[in-house]
Amino acid sequence: MMETVHVGLAGREYDIHIGPGLLARSGELIRPLLKRPRVAIVSDENVAALHLDALKSGLQAAEIESVSLTLPAGESTKGWPQFTRTVEWLLEQKIERNDVVIAFGGGVIGDLVGFASAVLRRGVRFVQIPTSLLAQVDSSVGGKTGINAPQGKNLIGAFHQPSLVLADTAVLGTLTERDFLAGYGEVVKYGLLGDFEFFQWLEANASCAASGDMDARIYAVKRSVQMKAGIVERDETEQGDRALLNLGHTFCHALEAATGYSDRLLHGEGVAIGCALAFEVSARMGLCSQEDPSRLRAHLRDMKMKVDLSDIEGELPDADALIALMGQDKKVVDGKIRFIMARGIGQAFVTQDVDMTIVRTVLQQALDAR
Ligand code: GLY
């Protein structure tokens, strides 16, 4: 079974195929893009060990030759040294302007390889084959590519849309439970930001998706990607609506910085906690009912996810220091933090008009509960 979502950006449109067994079908699906039957694959050590042979066989089935580069796994790969290595390797492999590069991995590989493709010979096409839930529902779609700088995450990059995305949902079976649930933080975000019915569906079905039900996994990825595609079509370069995708992220980025971007807090875990905090602030500001943050927290607890600051191990800075870290977020405009608040589940909006005394109180109470 394969579902398809189309991203209708004029001149840069592409399909996202979702379903099990897409690695085996990669050759037939990628072949129409190719001017010659040769591709370059960039992956990481974990993904390559588990899945590179399957991808190469799928390509070979359509008589596509491939060369591959395997980078170290982990966030530290997403910087200048591995980026330079990737670009120079692609040049050594004589990847031409009309060739296609495949980004095969999670968000780190997708972002780095997308950026390498954006600048190689002033831009070559690339295909995203995301292998983590987070990459399938968020980072592989929409064309944000880049690497980290010593000054912060994702500060160097370009908008460069992929030519095709293959989200093989069978590959999700090799994720650890923690990684799957971290990706789920981005899935639940879509229901919260714009689709109450999807949130209700998740309340009823997300635990089946987490325990491996393939139909539930396919629907969760498809609905997430449909919502992301719609937002990207309206606002590709984040002048307005695309910022909705950052629901929970201002809090998340401060918490990630406070925990040193370490295993203490994975990005998707920070998104889930950040969404709960954003709904709590929204309720205290009288924008939504107090039932909404309670309902969200109950769902995250049902999913056995991190929900509160007390679920983060080790020390955290005080509320003022966390607010200072929020001020480092690249979403700050004219010195004011841009928040995503909600009038209810499924009704998020972008605002700079947030009462910071309420933000401070919510954070302080969450820290006091630790
Ligand atoms: N991950 C947020 C965005 O793509 O805009």
Side-chain angles (χ1 to χ4, degrees), residues 138-139 141-142 144 186 189 228 232 238 242 245-246 249:
D138 184 35
S139 58
V141 175
K144 278 190 182 174
E186 295 280 3
K189 177 194 79 176
K228 179 146 190 187
V232 168
E238 202 169 310
R242 186 162 180 164
L245 296 169
N246 297 316
H249 282 61

Side-chain angles (χ1 to χ4, degrees), residues 99-122:
D99 286 334
V100 167
V101 176
I102 297 180
F104 186 40
V108 166
I109 289 293
D111 286 5
L112 181 146
V113 178
F115 184 38
S117 304
V119 298
L120 188 80
R121 301 186 194 279
R122 299 203 178 88

